Amino acid sequence: MFTCPATEDFFRLRIDQMIDLRHPLAVLASRIPWQQIEASVAHLFMRKARADVAMPDLDLFGEKAVRAGSRSNAGRPRVPLRTMIALLYLKHAFNESDEGVVARWGETPTWQLFSGQAYFEHRPPCDATTLVKFRQLLGEEGTEELLAQTINVAVEQGLIKPRNSRG
């Protein structure tokens, strides 16, 4: 319904079956234009080509041949952009620290639904330092713009009162 399409898991219950979908965060999650918001900041997180590393989306065989002993690009998987944007919103909406919002996310199904998760996860989505790096990449103006977009949707939908959005 609101979350990314996920294959059914016989052993786990979907978050949207665990919580009241009338909760303000659940309603807000269904009404925020996530794709538009993600597209507005996606350019900051594009993968950049390095010398001697094949980038399949740049050319079928890569710009240069890959050396046999080169480093692997297989590191920790990226945290989805929607999750990072949602964490930033939740941090400011609930007046949490970086560490607090990441820890609380792992305990709160409603926050996870808001972040686009289909199934409940007990582990945090990332380290608190990842949220700090995300905010640094966005810059102060980018962070303010993202928060303004999400707050404006909440005000338009009547989920929060305009006076509550002023910090």
Side-chain angles (χ1 to χ4, degrees):
M1 184 166 146
F2 324 62
T3 57
C4 60
T7 58
E8 292 301 318
D9 188 334
F10 183 74
F11 298 104
R12 297 191 317 178
L13 190 61
R14 291 178 57 88
I15 293 176
D16 58 4
Q17 296 173 348
M18 295 170 61
I19 65 169
D20 181 5
L21 295 176
R22 295 173 294 183
H23 186 281
L25 272 180
V27 173
L28 183 59
S30 68
R31 296 184 180 166
I32 286 181
W34 289 107
Q35 291 177 338
Q36 178 184 348
I37 292 173
E38 287 177 25
S40 69
V41 296
H43 68 279
L44 297 171
F45 305 99
M46 296 292 289
R47 209 177 272 270
K48 309 224 180 353
R50 286 188 250 148
D52 298 327
V53 176
M55 296 295 291
D57 54 343
L58 296 177
D59 186 17
L60 183 59
F61 300 106
E63 292 182 333
K64 293 183 180 179
V66 179
R67 289 183 278 149
S70 66
R71 289 189 330 210
S72 170
N73 284 336
R76 183 182 347 174
R78 289 184 176 188
V79 179
L81 195 50
R82 175 173 174 177
T83 301
M84 295 305 296
I85 293 168
L87 283 170
L88 191 61
Y89 173 81
L90 293 167
K91 172 186 167 34
H92 289 279
F94 292 93
N95 197 24
E96 289 279 350
S97 65
D98 293 330
E99 295 83 8
V101 75
V102 170
R104 192 168 167 195
W105 186 94
E107 302 168 351
T108 313
T110 309
W111 284 22
Q112 292 186 23
L113 178 83
F114 182 74
S115 302
Q117 290 291 111
Y119 297 102
F120 182 74
E121 294 286 334
H122 281 286
R123 60 180 173 73
C126 61
D127 298 333
T129 56
T130 305
L131 191 56
V132 172
K133 291 175 186 175
F134 178 75
R135 207 171 36 250
Q136 288 173 346
L137 281 171
L138 284 176
E140 190 174 323
E141 290 179 17
T143 302
E144 289 176 5
E145 177 62 27
L146 277 180
L147 291 173
Q149 287 181 22
T150 53
I151 290 169
N152 288 340
V153 170
V155 170
E156 288 170 9
Q157 300 296 323
L159 299 171
I160 61 173
K161 296 177 181 155
R163 61 189 160 103
N164 292 345
S165 64
R166 293 183 191 128

